[in-house]
Amino acid sequence: MANMAESAVPVRLDRAAIGRGALVGAIFMLTASFADLSIGALTEGDGDGHRPVLFIVIIIGYFAAGRAATRRAERDPFRHGSLAALMSFGIWLALRLFVAVVTRDGLADGALQGVFGHVVTATAFGMLGGLFGLRELKRRELERRGQSEGPPSIH
């Protein structure tokens, strides 16, 4: 039986594409975090009704991270998309921990309980964004060649 390491295909990652996607996703996450802090300060902690909306913004950020990474890498949408979304979460988490240490506020009890959920969500929506990014690239390539995906349209 052949050794798996000998027969494995080398993985080629486009680090610039993953980084670009991670920055796109981090912008969404940091915006949602800033909005959460601002709304919390304005309402003086009364209610968390805005948090589901902000979570949707974060999910859109994961999706956008995967899409941006795949559009730049032009290959391997699931790998590039999921890694970009995970890196955007990592950027947010590192900044969150840094702010907690610098301000000496610490973290609220259970503040890091949702890490596993975010990892799974980031992976899933990063892959989905990657798939849409690849689909967009293929459609653009067909248009460049003068072909279309659907039936010919009458103009």
Side-chain angles (χ1 to χ4, degrees), residues 36-125:
D36 184 36
L37 288 173
S38 299
I39 292 169
L42 291 173
T43 61
E44 297 176 0
D46 294 338
D48 293 333
H50 63 282
R51 289 216 167 134
V53 174
L54 297 178
F55 185 66
I56 291 170
V57 171
I58 290 170
I59 288 174
I60 292 169
Y62 292 147
F63 179 87
R67 183 175 168 268
T70 300
R71 289 185 64 196
R72 168 108 186 208
E74 298 184 1
R75 66 176 188 282
D76 211 356
F78 297 133
R79 185 172 289 134
H80 286 91
S82 63
L83 287 174
L86 285 171
M87 281 187 64
S88 67
F89 174 64
I91 291 168
W92 174 84
L93 186 61
L95 287 172
R96 176 66 181 105
L97 292 173
F98 177 76
V99 167
V101 168
V102 169
T103 61
R104 294 192 175 132
D105 282 342
L107 296 173
D109 291 336
L112 298 178
Q113 288 177 344
V115 169
F116 181 73
H118 271 282
V119 167
V120 172
T121 305
T123 303
F125 282 94

